[in-house]
Amino acid sequence: MPAVVLVLAIGWSAFWFYAASQVDVQFDGWRTREAKSGRTYECSNRSVAGYPFRLEVRCADPVISLIAQTAQQIATRTPLTAKLKEILAIAQIYNPRLVIAEFTGPATVATTGQAPFATAKWSLGRASVAGLPDIPQRVSLEFNDPAIDRLDGGNPTQLLRAKHLEWHGRLLDGSTPANPVIETVLELTGASLQGIHPVLADPFDANIRAQLRGLKDFSPKPWPERFREIQAAGGRIDFTESRLQQGDTLAVAAGSLGLTADGYLEGELQMTVAGMERLIPALGLEKAMEQGVSQSSVDRVAPGVSAQDVNKVIGALDRMIPGLGNIARKNANAGLAAGINLLGQQTTLEGRKAQAFKVTFTHGALLLGPFRVAQTPPLF
């Protein structure tokens, strides 16, 4: 028996060291495939450990270079460079198709050769990929306490804060490699975004589940190119379940969005909101009636409505009862909330009074009923 154990130990050791020797071969092959889409990966030092039952690949001071994902930067092929402190990838020797990675920050992002324009840190960052080395069947990302800052002249400005962030993606059961359907789930806890839109500045929780249709292959390529292919194939994003909560405001939505020929979002969502009156000031809808209404402010919140007509109504209120028009301006959010109530149907959401109405994307413009609240950029 001791001799048998010794032989097995020698055989297992030989197998482990052979598998460890193949890490560099597999890594170099993966780097070659990624380079075709403009992404390169380098380590100042790469080591393999984990004997006897797993493989641990440690990449010190990783540098990731990629072609940026905006139309202008793609046209000039401007590369971005992201630097981290360390990446540790782990695979069990008996299940090499599942790889778990841990990221050690902080991370910086810069245009190659320039000072960093963003920095990120987290208390825990990890990912898992199942199905390697073939097409991944499942990918997950998880970060605790993520914090992303913009850097302007070396001075940080908050962009993202959250207690927890998760993203999951998987091939939907029954889909085929020739016509895959990707299901994704994004979860945010205690998240806030600064400098994007005032409504996102206060902490919120989100759980968004969607299905992406229209992919034709999984070959590495920049996302704008992939979005262009999805549009040409008539693909779309189906939001099957979405829930957002911010303080006393709660919203759920479902619907489908596609892409126009020039890359803008187009489609419709059915939304139900409890606590809509709290969103009115954050969306800026009340400004259309503050201190005399300009046409530009009316166009921003209610395209097609004449500012002259709105001012006439307010002036008539002042003539009837002096000061009434000013009261109407100061209480514009209540009036607009009532208007939004009329646009949708009264309903309940998790036991609370709510309104159900449509949210429309028209050539990238986000419309809440007749009110235009945002303009989204093109995806390619």
Side-chain angles (χ1 to χ4, degrees):
M1 183 59 69
V4 171
V5 172
L6 178 61
V7 170
L8 290 176
I10 293 174
W12 183 264
S13 297
F15 170 73
W16 187 93
F17 283 105
Y18 171 77
S21 70
Q22 294 300 302
V23 168
D24 287 341
V25 175
Q26 295 295 329
F27 182 78
D28 290 339
W30 175 73
R31 282 200 311 170
T32 300
R33 292 193 298 272
E34 286 290 291
K36 294 179 181 179
S37 61
R39 295 184 288 268
T40 61
Y41 301 82
E42 300 293 341
C43 302
S44 65
N45 181 52
R46 189 167 71 241
S47 60
V48 181
Y51 178 84
F53 296 116
R54 64 183 186 178
L55 293 171
E56 299 178 359
V57 182
R58 194 177 300 272
C59 175
D61 302 316
V63 178
I64 305 169
S65 300
L66 65 155
I67 300 300
Q69 300 293 290
T70 67
Q72 180 180 1
Q73 289 168 325
I74 287 173
T76 59
R77 305 297 289 177
T78 304
L80 294 179
T81 299
K83 297 181 179 180
L84 289 79
K85 185 176 180 180
E86 184 181 79
I87 298 176
L88 173 63
I90 301 172
Q92 302 296 335
I93 199 72
Y94 50 81
N95 186 19
R97 292 174 62 83
L98 174 63
V99 176
I100 298 173
E102 294 184 357
F103 311 104
T104 302
T108 59
V109 183
T111 301
T112 301
Q114 304 296 321
F117 61 81
T119 182
K121 59 184 179 179
W122 51 87
S123 61
L124 172 67
R126 60 189 176 192
S128 65
V129 183
L132 295 175
D134 300 324
I135 296 173
Q137 301 297 305
R138 186 176 71 254
V139 179
S140 297
L141 292 171
E142 180 182 3
F143 290 91
N144 287 344
D145 306 308
I148 302 176
D149 292 337
R150 298 188 184 95
L151 297 178
D152 186 5
N155 298 318
T157 302
Q158 287 189 15
L159 175 60
L160 168 70
R161 294 290 188 273
K163 294 180 180 179
H164 187 75
L165 182 154
E166 284 188 36
W167 177 84
H168 305 275
R170 70 180 183 95
L171 278 175
L172 201 63
D173 294 340
S175 63
T176 63
N179 190 25
V181 179
I182 309 298
E183 183 178 59
T184 67
V185 179
L186 174 65
E187 296 181 9
L188 291 166
T189 303
S192 64
L193 287 166
Q194 307 296 325
I196 306 297
H197 195 283
V199 77
L200 300 175
D202 293 333
F204 62 90
D205 298 338
N207 188 311
I208 302 171
R209 185 182 298 270
Q211 295 178 2
L212 174 61
R213 304 175 187 273
L215 287 175
K216 294 302 178 184
D217 62 68
F218 291 96
S219 60
K221 63 187 66 175
W223 272 105
E225 182 180 341
R226 193 176 297 281
F227 280 127
R228 190 176 288 109
E229 292 179 354
I230 291 172
Q231 191 278 331
R236 66 186 188 275
I237 302 174
D238 296 328
F239 291 90
T240 56
E241 181 183 345
S242 299
R243 185 185 189 277
L244 292 91
Q245 184 163 6
Q246 186 180 61
D248 293 333
T249 302
L250 175 64
V252 297
S256 183
L257 299 178
L259 293 169
T260 64
D262 48 358
Y264 286 96
L265 289 172
E266 190 92 2
E268 184 178 281
L269 302 176
Q270 295 291 333
M271 179 171 284
T272 303
V273 179
M276 183 67 195
E277 62 280 356
R278 181 182 171 277
L279 288 180
I280 299 300
L283 293 173
L285 299 179
E286 82 285 359
K287 293 182 180 179
M289 297 181 67
E290 287 181 354
Q291 299 178 353
V293 182
S294 66
Q295 187 61 55
S296 61
S297 64
V298 173
D299 286 340
R300 184 170 59 83
V301 298
V305 176
S306 168
Q308 183 178 4
D309 292 341
V310 175
N311 283 318
K312 283 181 179 179
V313 172
I314 294 176
L317 293 174
D318 273 324
R319 288 192 297 273
M320 293 170 56
I321 303 176
L324 186 58
N326 191 45
I327 293 175
R329 294 187 187 97
K330 291 182 178 180
N331 292 278
N333 57 332
L336 286 170
I340 290 178
N341 289 344
L342 294 175
L343 294 174
Q345 296 180 349
Q346 297 293 319
T347 184
T348 59
L349 179 60
E350 297 185 9
R352 299 173 55 192
K353 292 182 179 180
Q355 290 79 40
F357 48 85
K358 294 180 180 180
V359 175
T360 306
F361 284 84
T362 303
H363 206 73
L366 172 58
L367 302 178
L368 195 67
F371 301 105
R372 179 172 177 169
V373 297
Q375 175 67 44
T376 60
L379 297 180
F380 57 80

